[in-house]
Amino acid sequence: MKEGIRPEDLLQAVQAYATDSAGFTRSKVCFSDNWFQSRRWQPYVQKQAEDREKVAALQADHHARLACWISDRSPMCKHITAKQIDGLLASKLVTQAQIRAAGLRS
């Protein structure tokens, strides 16, 4: 925790280790004090951070694609949901005028 690890990340690391070690015998399981002390939790926390980065990159790419549809007034605009429009406006990838020009809101 002193290193800035969020409690929920550590909890997810513990849950992931529990899943990974579900079939282990007592001699193969790393007990909690050793698991924390030997820092075996770090790869789990690092994987979570990498997964979050991948999701953020995919979302950014998706929003950029939607913004492109709107600016091009693509026929694909009909598939853009109200929630996605709100997200695009919040991220300032498009303006209200572009939304109206694409025929998404009146």
Side-chain angles (χ1 to χ4, degrees):
M1 301 291 180
K2 292 178 186 176
E3 297 175 20
I5 305 298
R6 299 182 323 185
E8 53 272 7
D9 289 345
L10 203 50
L11 176 61
Q12 287 178 356
V14 169
Q15 291 168 340
Y17 178 70
T19 300
D20 290 350
S21 63
F24 290 5
T25 62
R26 185 173 173 86
S27 63
K28 287 190 171 194
V29 170
C30 186
F31 291 99
S32 61
D33 54 343
N34 293 333
W35 192 76
F36 285 107
Q37 191 173 26
S38 65
R39 304 179 80 69
R40 290 182 65 179
W41 51 269
Q42 280 183 318
Y44 293 98
V45 172
Q46 289 170 345
K47 183 176 180 330
Q48 292 166 8
E50 291 168 4
D51 290 348
R52 276 194 299 273
E53 288 175 15
K54 287 177 187 175
V55 167
L58 287 173
Q59 286 177 334
D61 181 54
H62 184 65
H63 279 156
R65 192 173 309 117
L66 295 177
C68 211
W69 287 356
I70 290 170
S71 64
D72 294 345
R73 297 180 188 160
S74 168
M76 295 299 288
C77 287
K78 65 183 176 187
H79 301 290
I80 300 175
T81 67
K83 186 176 179 179
Q84 289 171 327
I85 292 170
D86 293 339
L88 291 168
L89 289 170
S91 65
K92 300 185 189 229
L93 289 173
V94 295
T95 64
Q96 284 284 358
Q98 288 174 309
I99 297 290
R100 283 191 299 277
L104 293 173
R105 288 192 177 161
S106 49

